[in-house]
């Protein structure tokens, strides 16, 4: 790797580039070439730069470099895990309200996307537990928001802008124009994962727990065969 520093309001930031020159076009005249030791010193000052520290810890320029960097891969993984947990919980709630055992439930919901699952849940709540309708509507709004943001990190293309990780649509969809990649913030990614975890808590507290605490299963419901 080769390293450059750039003064970003009151703070030097390190930008690691591939040694083969493949990323040189993303640099600009405000970047100053520095040694790996200088990069280590800058990246180690508070607040730490997880991207640069991750690269420096590899200990070798012969590393099999992949994109996005490891620190961002871990954040993507956390978002993916948290969103999958939401889908599993929604399926469980649907099976409970509909009176389906897990085997039959999977047959109906196994291939459904998150938007379809939420439509199922809203329809079932309207029919069988209308007193939870407002809670379901609020959670539905939150889920749509986090999954729209999830799509940015999971489905768009990762690239580089001004030497830093960025995402964007680098292809034409129908009649849409190409979008300029936007910089990616690790803190924003982990904030999204935290919001997803909170949604799971809200689903448990606002929907599933009230259903379980009424002894009661909605009319015509049979126990879940876990």
């Amino acid at each position: 790797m080769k390293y450059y520093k750039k003064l970003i309001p009151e703070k030097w930031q390190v930008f690691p580039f591939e040694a083969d020159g493949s990323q040189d076009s993303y640099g600009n005249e405000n970047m100053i070439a520095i040694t790996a030791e200088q990069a280590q010193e800058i990246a180690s000052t508070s607040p730490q730069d997880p991207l640069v520290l991750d690269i420096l810890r590899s200990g070798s320029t012969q590393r099999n470099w992949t994109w996005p960097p490891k620190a961002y891969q871990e954040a993507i993984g956390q978002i993916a895990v948290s969103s999958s947990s939401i889908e599993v919980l929604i399926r469980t709630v649907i099976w409970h309200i509909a009176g389906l055992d897990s085997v039959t439930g999977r047959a109906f919901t196994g291939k459904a996307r998150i938007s379809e699952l939420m439509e199922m849940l809203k329809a079932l709540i309207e029919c069988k537990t209308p007193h939870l309708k407002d809670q379901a509507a609020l959670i539905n709004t939150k889920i749509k928001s986090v999954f729209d943001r999830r799509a940015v990190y999971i489905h768009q293309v990762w690239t580089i802008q001004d030497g830093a990780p960025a995402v964007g649509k680098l292809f034409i969809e129908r009649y849409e124009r190409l979008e300029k990649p936007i910089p990616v913030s690790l803190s924003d990614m982990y904030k999204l994962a935290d919001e997803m975890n909170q949604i799971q808590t809200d689903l448990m507290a606002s929907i599933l727990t009230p259903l379980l605490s009424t002894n009661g299963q909605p009319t015509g419901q049979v126990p879940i065969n876990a």
Side-chain angles (χ1 to χ4, degrees), residues 21-34:
S22 61
Q23 297 175 347
D24 286 359
S25 60
Y26 296 105
N28 61 48
E29 66 277 4
N30 295 321
M31 291 184 177
I32 301 171
I34 57 176

Side-chain angles (χ1 to χ4, degrees), residues 137-225:
L138 178 59
I139 290 174
N140 180 54
T141 299
K142 292 179 179 179
I143 287 176
K144 185 180 186 308
S145 173
V146 296
F147 271 78
D148 284 347
R149 287 150 60 200
R150 170 190 180 274
V152 171
Y153 303 117
I154 302 294
H155 297 302
Q156 291 194 22
V157 178
W158 282 77
T159 182
I160 304 172
Q161 181 169 288
D162 295 331
V167 291
K169 292 183 179 179
L170 305 182
F171 50 88
I172 296 176
E173 282 188 16
R174 299 178 184 172
Y175 300 104
E176 294 177 355
R177 292 177 298 176
L178 295 179
E179 294 183 3
K180 183 179 180 180
I182 57 173
V184 175
S185 162
L186 270 176
S187 61
D188 286 347
M189 295 178 74
Y190 279 108
K191 180 181 177 183
L192 174 57
D194 289 341
E195 287 181 39
M196 289 180 166
N197 293 335
Q198 183 59 50
I199 285 173
Q200 294 180 58
T201 300
D202 293 346
L203 266 168
M204 291 290 295
S206 301
I207 305 295
L208 188 55
T209 299
L211 289 172
L212 295 174
S213 65
T214 54
N215 285 329
Q217 299 172 357
T219 304
Q221 185 167 357
V222 295
I224 296 176
N225 177 18

